[in-house]
Structures are given as structure tokens and as C-alpha cells.
Amino acid sequence: MSVDSDFDALFAAAGRVQPLAYAPYSHFKVGAAILADDGAIYAGCNVENAAYPVGACAEAGAISAMIAGGSQRIVAILVMGEGEALVTPCGACRQRIREFANPDTPVAIAGPSGIRQRFSLAELLPASFGPDNLRR
Ligand code: THU
């Protein structure tokens, strides 16, 4: 992929759910959108919890939506956050993305007004451990 129109669609999808995020503790709303290999787009937002560690990241929500929607491969993913700093996926979410993506899968990081930077998954999670590493 890497076609700009695909990222435009992911930007729009993440932008629709980011305002819906449940983030009463951090006040930091995040949206994520996945393009699956069948062309479907799935979105998720962060959902926090009074027991702080139980909160879920936007990427985890988007992955759950993807699996529940019947898709299984991530062709591209976009994460949209607030503020000036890049909202790159946390370590746990890099591993979650890894399960369904390839090392060269693009991960776009966006702010409110557009994509700020693109990474490959391998740049964010080098020498990663994935399903193939379990084969004996
Ligand atoms: N968060 C995400 O949902 N995705 C990210 O990539 C970074 C952080 C959420 C978790 C928490 O609800 C809030 O942002 C502050 O860390």
C-alpha cells in the first residue's frame, strides 16, 4: 500500500473515534485506524479505567475490532494523538501490532492536522518476536 489515499482514509477513521475516547484520567484521547488486507478499515480509541493499568490503548481497540470484523492482517495503521509530541504506539501495542503485521508495515503517526511521521513496524520494534519464532 502506502498510497496516500489509504492514509487519508485512515486519518479520517481515526479522527472519527478519537473524540469518543474514554480518557477521564489522562485527558489524552487517542484514535487508531487499521487498513486490513481485505480493504476494510477498523478504528479504536483508548478506554481508561479507574484501576489505571486496566485501561486499553486505541491500538488494542482497533485490533479487537479488526479480529471481530473478520480480518486478520494489518496492511497499514495510523495513530492519532493530541499535543505536540509524536504519539507513537507504546511497547505493548508495538507487539500487538506485530502479531498481525509485517516488519515493513507502515505505521503513521498523526496529530490533529495531519500525518507527522511514518515508520515501518521494524523501526519501532526491531528484531521482533512474532508467530514465526514459535515454529520448531
Ligand atoms: N495511549 C494510546 O491509546 N495509544 C498510544 O499509542 C499511546 C497512549 C493512551 C493510553 C492512555 O489512555 C493515554 O493514552 C495516556 O497514556
Side-chain angles (χ1 to χ4, degrees):
M1 69 82 63
S2 270
V3 181
D4 284 342
S5 61
D6 287 328
F7 274 122
D8 288 347
L10 293 181
F11 183 80
R16 278 192 289 273
V17 297
Q18 186 194 12
L20 305 176
Y22 178 75
Y25 307 108
S26 71
H27 304 287
F28 192 81
K29 294 186 170 190
V30 182
I34 289 168
L35 175 66
D37 64 349
D38 56 5
I41 288 178
Y42 300 97
C45 57
N46 53 332
V47 181
E48 298 185 347
N49 192 282
Y52 293 177
V54 180
C57 286
E59 297 89 326
I63 289 171
S64 289
M66 178 186 78
I67 295 300
S71 306
Q72 294 219 325
R73 294 302 295 172
I74 298 174
V75 170
I77 181 166
L78 179 144
V79 182
M80 180 186 294
E82 303 173 330
E84 295 302 311
L86 286 181
V87 181
T88 45
C90 75
C93 283
R94 293 175 195 205
Q95 186 66 35
R96 290 190 177 98
I97 294 165
R98 171 67 183 88
E99 185 73 13
F100 305 105
N102 298 323
D104 61 354
T105 298
V107 181
I109 310 301
S113 51
I115 291 175
R116 291 173 166 162
Q117 200 163 333
R118 289 187 202 179
F119 299 91
S120 67
L121 179 60
E123 289 178 297
L124 298 177
L125 192 67
S128 64
F129 186 89
D132 288 346
N133 296 77
L134 287 176
R135 298 196 209 295
R136 290 184 281 184

